[in-house]
Amino acid sequence: MNQAVMYGTSVAEAPVVREPLHAPVAHLVRGGVVEGIHYGSVVVLGADGAVELQLGDIEAAFYPRSALKPVQAVAMLRAGLPLDGELLALTAASHSGEERHLAGTRRILELAGVTEDDLRNVPDLPYDPVVRDAWVREGRLPSRLAQNCSGKHAAMLYTCRLNGWPLEDYLDPGHPLQRAVAEAVEDLTGQAIARVTVDGCGAPLFAVSLHGLARAAARITTAPAGTPEARVADAMREHAETASGSGRDVAALMRAVPGLLAKDGFEGVQVAALPDGRAVAVKIADGANRARVPVAAAALARAGVNPAALAEFAGEPLLGGGRPVGRVRPARALDPAPGSGLRSGGAHAQTPA
C-alpha cells in the first residue's frame, strides 16, 4: 500500500522541473559596498503550515541532497529498523568522519551481520578538514566507512537484512528499500517526486520543492511521541554531534535553539523546524556555505526565534588586511516582520540598507 495512503495524507502533483526563479537572498558587503550577491530561495512556514515568507522560487523542483536524510531515516524506521539514540542520529547524518562516527557505523554493520565490504557508497576521506588532514598524515586511504553517508548506508543494509530484501542492489531505485524511501518522501513532503537521480554517495536522490522539504521537516518535529518521525527528531536533537560533527554549524544551531531540528545538504541546502511546526528551508543557488548559514539564521529569526540565540550564525566576517571589513548580510526581506517585537542584529546592524 502507498505510504501516503497508510499515513492518511494526500499527495499533490510533482513540482515543475524548470530553471528556478531565484532571488537575491544575501549580499556580500565589504566596506559598506555590495561586492557580490548570492541568489537563492527561502521559505518560512508558520506553526499552522501556512507560508509566512517566501523569497525566490519555493515551488520549483530541486534536489534537497542530504537535507532529505531525516526523511530517509523515517522510511527505514517505518520498515522496521530498530535503532534509536546515537545510532539513529548516525542513520540521518552527514557525518564528519570522527571516531564516534566510524565506531557507530561499524556497530550498525555488526547488528546487520554485514561488513564494510557490503557498503555501496563511494570511498572518500573524512568530511571534516581537521580529521581529514590527520587521516592523510597517517597514510590512510579513502574508505566507504569514512565517507559522510556511511551511517545511512549501513542502516539501509540493516533494514534490508531485517526485511529479507537483497543486499547487493539496495541502491537501485526499484529496490523495495528505495521504493519505501520514495513513498515516505511523497508522504512527508505532501507531493509527488518530480525526478530521480543519483546522489553523491550513490543513493537515489528525489526532486521535490523547497516548500515540500520544509513541510516534511515540520511533520517530523510535530509527530506524536514514539512515532518514527518523533524518534528521528529526538535522536538528531539529542545527539547533534553524531548527526553532523564536532564544530559543525548544524550541530551548534541545534544546541543554540532548544527543540530545533536542523539538517544541511550539499549545494547550499538547509532545513530546520521547531516542535510547534514552524519551519524554514533554504537553497543557495551557487551552493555557498558562507551564505547558507546566515540566511538560515535570518529565516529562523523571521520565524520567531530570538535573534540573540542566533548571533553566532550571522556569518564569518570578511577580512581586509587581516581585520574585519564586512560580511555576508541576509536580504532585508528576511528581517523580522514589523510588529513582531524582534530586532535584527549581527550583520544586520553593520551594513547599509
Side-chain angles (χ1 to χ4, degrees):
M1 180 182 293
N2 184 283
Q3 292 276 19
V5 175
M6 289 175 62
Y7 291 90
T9 61
S10 59
V11 174
E13 292 184 359
V16 176
V17 177
R18 64 182 178 222
E19 181 177 344
L21 304 174
H22 291 307
V25 295
H27 293 93
L28 181 66
V29 180
R30 181 184 295 270
V33 173
V34 175
E35 184 177 32
I37 300 174
H38 289 287
Y39 284 74
S41 296
V42 181
V43 60
V44 177
L45 301 184
D48 61 354
V51 175
E52 295 194 340
L53 175 75
Q54 67 179 78
L55 290 179
D57 196 341
I58 69 170
E59 303 297 353
F62 92 118
Y63 292 120
R65 303 299 298 271
S66 286
L68 204 58
K69 281 180 178 172
V71 176
Q72 293 171 311
V74 168
M76 286 186 266
L77 291 185
R78 289 179 176 181
L81 183 69
L83 298 180
D84 282 294
E86 285 194 85
L87 295 185
L88 180 53
L90 187 57
T91 297
S94 299
H95 66 69
S96 290
E98 300 166 33
E99 186 51 43
R100 79 175 81 191
H101 302 122
L102 306 185
T105 301
R106 291 190 192 100
R107 179 56 181 155
I108 297 173
L109 292 172
E110 179 183 333
L111 290 169
V114 297
T115 70
E116 182 179 351
D117 291 338
D118 294 295
L119 294 170
R120 294 292 181 266
N121 58 320
V122 294
D124 202 355
L125 295 171
Y127 179 73
D128 182 88
V130 175
V131 179
R132 181 170 61 246
D133 288 347
W135 189 281
V136 172
R137 284 196 303 271
E138 294 165 6
R140 303 170 76 177
L141 298 175
S143 78
R144 298 184 192 278
L145 197 67
Q147 197 267 339
N148 76 90
C149 303
S150 63
K152 177 183 77 174
H153 282 256
M156 285 182 169
L157 286 169
Y158 193 8
T159 305
C160 290
R161 178 72 85 188
L162 291 167
N163 285 277
W165 295 334
L167 302 183
E168 296 77 12
D169 61 343
Y170 74 91
L171 296 183
D172 189 308
H175 189 281
L177 171 68
Q178 301 304 337
R179 291 204 305 269
V181 170
E183 288 171 351
V185 169
E186 293 190 336
D187 170 42
L188 293 175
T189 63
Q191 60 189 175
I193 293 165
R195 290 281 174 86
V196 181
T197 187
V198 182
D199 209 342
C201 66
L205 178 61
F206 306 103
V208 293
S209 70
L210 196 66
H211 188 181
L213 178 64
R215 194 160 45 225
R219 288 201 58 201
I220 289 172
T221 58
T222 58
T227 60
E229 295 89 335
R231 287 166 59 192
V232 169
D234 289 345
M236 294 180 69
R237 290 182 295 214
E238 292 170 15
H239 304 280
E241 286 79 11
T242 301
S244 55
S246 302
R248 293 272 293 280
D249 58 76
V250 69
L253 190 60
M254 285 193 277
R255 290 194 302 267
V257 182
L260 184 74
L261 175 70
K263 184 70 188 76
D264 53 348
F266 279 149
E267 296 302 324
V269 182
Q270 180 76 57
V271 66
L274 291 153
D276 64 1
R278 286 175 291 159
V280 306
V282 172
K283 165 63 181 176
I284 305 301
D286 62 5
N289 270 331
R290 72 177 181 184
R292 172 184 61 83
V293 178
V295 169
L300 284 168
R302 183 60 187 255
V305 174
N306 187 344
L310 301 166
E312 67 179 289
F313 308 102
E316 294 295 324
L318 302 176
L319 301 181
R323 64 183 180 86
V325 294
R327 65 172 64 244
V328 175
R329 187 210 181 279
R332 289 290 183 192
L334 287 166
D335 282 351
S340 67
L342 300 175
R343 293 184 180 275
S344 58
H348 300 260
Q350 300 178 30
T351 57

